[in-house]
Amino acid sequence: MTVADVIDLAFTLNRQPVRLRTRSDLRLLDLLRDELRLTGAKEGCGKGECGACTVIVDGRAADACLMMAFQADGAVVETIEGLAGTVLHPLQDAFIETGGVQCGICIPGMVMAGKALLDRHPAPDLDAIRSGLAGNLCRCTGYTKIFAAVARAAGRAAPHPPAVASAPPAAPGYYRPRSLEEALEILAQRPGEARPVAGGTDVLVRAKDGQQNRASLFDVTAVAELKGIEERDGHLWMGAGATHTEIIASPLVARHLPSLPQACAVIGGPQIRNRGTLGGNLANASPAADTVPPLYAADAVVELVSVSGRREVPVAEFFTGPRQSVLAPDELIVGVRVPIRAGVRGCFLRLGQRQAQAISKVSVAVGMTFHDGRPDWVRVALGAVAPTVVRAPETEKALLGGGYEALRRARDAVRAEVEPIDDLRSTRAYRREMTAGLLERAIRRVAEA
């Protein structure tokens, strides 16, 4: 087992520069609570579902339980303790005035999520407030008063853009490499032992369950080669480090791969979307991963790199089974590219135990182009109904055939093409029938777009 080191960190905390030495296996939440005695952020679920540990990192709400302390190196961090000066922040005042405060366990996280929302959207409507607080739970106050508090505070204080870090990063390169070359050297020197982390939204959950040693993790969020969304040589290229929030906001992705932002929008809450990455969702290799069906439906190619060289793998060949892929221990996912098709339309739909913060029981992604009102290119991909995400070629043929009966034939075909299982979340029969239902709904939305 890898033993934790003692490393230097430097960042801006509540508008003050901080430089300290700490253990390399500490989460940001541990550093704040145990080392710095800033206890407003609470240990709730420890898995990114409750939001009690919400802080603001570089202007975005984040779960401190799903960040390693060294991932805050060079960043600007705000906690509930830094919110008020000599008087309460308008948001804190609003929570008191509306009765939105009770036990105090969940409320600091609620306030910080609300501040992150108002800093970027000073006058949100109720839907925006609901969305901005979707990553936070409260078991005693009730959401009506909390939403009212955020609405009341809207416009009272000027928005605050993310501050600029006042100190350069101090973490050693073997924990926070600054280039792709450095990151690959770490993997080459410690194959099968060192593990890269970006958003941490899955790896640190496994660490919470004792399935991952946090001391073996290193951060790749400072690697510039993994970032960006752009057009390259007739393709849409998305860096492995692109977050779900960045994908949702990208006009390029909306134009060339419209089903992907729809998928990213239903992943976790804002804190998870602000940190979770496209590359991490691929590396996780879950058959229920929501970003993967849109990539299948777009004929995406995954770009892999190691010290030995680069290779490209079609996404349909990347996964070999549940939680298994062709990614070698010394390789990193650099990015994903998708062919640009004029006039492409897409839709992603999924079914979970609840509307948000739930793993998909069934998901469907559709990509289509049309000529003279008839489909001339069709892709259908299905998640959580087989050992990996799968394409549905017979369903695609049925839809390409067109005509009045195309949709009925496609529903029959997709039922035969899935291989669902019975598990704790659903039954085989239910998944099969809902796959057909979601497919029909997705096709109708694409056709009406």
Side-chain angles (χ1 to χ4, degrees):
M1 177 182 291
T2 302
V3 178
D5 293 331
V6 176
I7 59 175
D8 291 319
L9 300 180
F11 55 96
T12 300
L13 176 63
N14 295 331
R15 298 176 297 280
Q16 298 296 321
V18 173
R19 188 179 181 97
L20 49 79
R21 305 200 79 194
T22 191
R23 286 166 53 103
S24 63
D25 61 346
L26 290 186
R27 301 170 302 170
L28 178 58
L29 180 61
D30 304 324
L31 179 69
L32 293 173
R33 290 183 59 83
D34 301 337
E35 303 279 319
L36 299 175
R37 301 302 180 187
L38 298 176
T39 57
K42 302 297 193 293
E43 174 81 63
C45 64
K47 298 184 178 183
E49 295 179 354
C50 73
C53 64
T54 299
V55 296
I56 299 176
V57 179
D58 292 335
R60 298 278 190 184
D63 291 315
C65 73
L66 296 182
M67 280 187 67
M68 296 300 293
F70 57 73
Q71 290 187 287
D73 187 50
V76 176
V77 180
E78 299 174 72
T79 72
I80 190 74
E81 288 85 357
L83 207 57
T86 55
V87 296
L88 291 179
H89 186 278
L91 194 55
Q92 293 171 308
D93 268 334
F95 268 78
I96 295 170
E97 292 164 359
T98 61
V101 181
Q102 286 195 32
C103 75
I105 296 296
C106 307
I107 293 304
M110 285 280 187
V111 172
M112 296 308 291
K115 181 180 185 296
L117 170 67
L118 295 180
D119 281 351
R120 291 183 174 271
H121 306 286
D125 59 18
L126 181 57
D127 286 342
I129 293 172
R130 288 178 182 274
S131 177
L133 299 183
N136 296 74
L137 299 178
C138 181
R139 292 177 173 85
C140 58
T141 301
Y143 294 104
T144 299
K145 293 181 179 181
I146 290 171
F147 294 157
V150 177
R152 189 182 185 98
R156 285 192 178 184
H160 299 284
V164 177
S166 57
Y174 51 85
Y175 279 105
R176 200 155 192 261
R178 275 59 161 183
S179 70
L180 182 60
E181 181 180 7
E182 287 183 353
L184 295 178
E185 283 294 335
I186 294 171
L187 289 174
Q189 293 169 8
R190 299 163 58 195
E193 177 190 346
R195 174 153 191 176
V197 61
T201 58
D202 184 76
V203 171
L204 289 183
V205 171
R206 289 210 289 273
K208 173 78 172 179
D209 293 336
Q211 300 172 21
Q212 172 69 51
N213 178 15
R214 293 202 300 260
S216 66
L217 301 176
F218 70 96
D219 176 41
V220 293
T221 59
V223 177
E225 293 93 332
L226 305 183
K227 298 180 179 181
I229 299 172
E230 59 190 60
E231 293 182 4
R232 292 183 181 178
D233 302 322
H235 289 78
L236 169 69
W237 184 86
M238 297 169 288
T243 67
H244 304 310
T245 296
E246 290 168 343
I247 290 170
I248 293 168
S250 169
L252 285 177
V253 181
R255 184 184 313 132
H256 300 309
L257 184 48
S259 60
L260 185 57
Q262 297 169 26
C264 290
V266 296
I267 294 175
Q271 294 92 324
I272 298 297
R273 295 193 291 270
N274 290 340
R275 298 287 303 172
T277 63
L278 182 63
N281 214 221
L282 283 166
N284 189 31
S286 168
D290 287 327
T291 66
V292 177
L295 298 179
Y296 267 70
D299 299 331
V301 173
V302 184
E303 299 178 354
L304 309 177
V305 64
S306 70
V307 293
S308 303
R310 292 176 176 262
R311 63 181 177 133
E312 297 181 345
V313 180
V315 70
E317 299 173 12
F318 180 76
F319 305 99
T320 58
R323 304 285 183 179
Q324 298 175 340
S325 73
V326 299
L327 185 67
D330 65 342
E331 285 183 314
L332 274 179
I333 302 172
V334 177
V336 178
R337 59 180 177 84
V338 172
I340 291 175
R341 293 182 174 85
V344 68
R345 304 181 195 178
C347 183
F348 174 86
L349 294 173
R350 72 168 202 164
L351 181 70
Q353 194 71 26
R354 52 187 184 269
Q355 290 185 345
Q357 301 277 56
I359 298 172
S360 293
K361 295 181 178 183
V362 179
S363 63
V364 174
V366 173
M368 299 179 73
T369 60
F370 293 82
H371 180 70
D372 293 334
R374 295 178 64 88
D376 63 353
W377 177 83
V378 178
R379 292 290 185 272
V380 175
L382 311 168
V385 291
T388 67
V389 172
V390 293
R391 280 265 306 277
E394 295 303 316
T395 304
E396 294 167 358
K397 289 179 185 177
L399 292 169
L400 271 174
Y404 181 77
E405 291 292 310
L407 196 51
R408 182 190 61 78
R409 292 195 301 269
R411 285 180 59 108
D412 291 341
V414 81
R415 287 190 188 97
E417 290 191 278
V418 298
E419 302 176 22
I421 61 171
D422 293 323
D423 62 16
L424 292 175
R425 296 201 308 277
S426 199
T427 66
R428 178 187 297 109
Y430 182 74
R431 281 191 167 106
R432 177 170 281 115
E433 191 58 35
M434 290 311 302
T435 300
L438 287 182
L439 173 69
E440 178 173 351
R441 195 183 310 171
I443 294 299
R444 291 187 184 278
R445 290 191 183 184
V446 169
E448 295 167 0

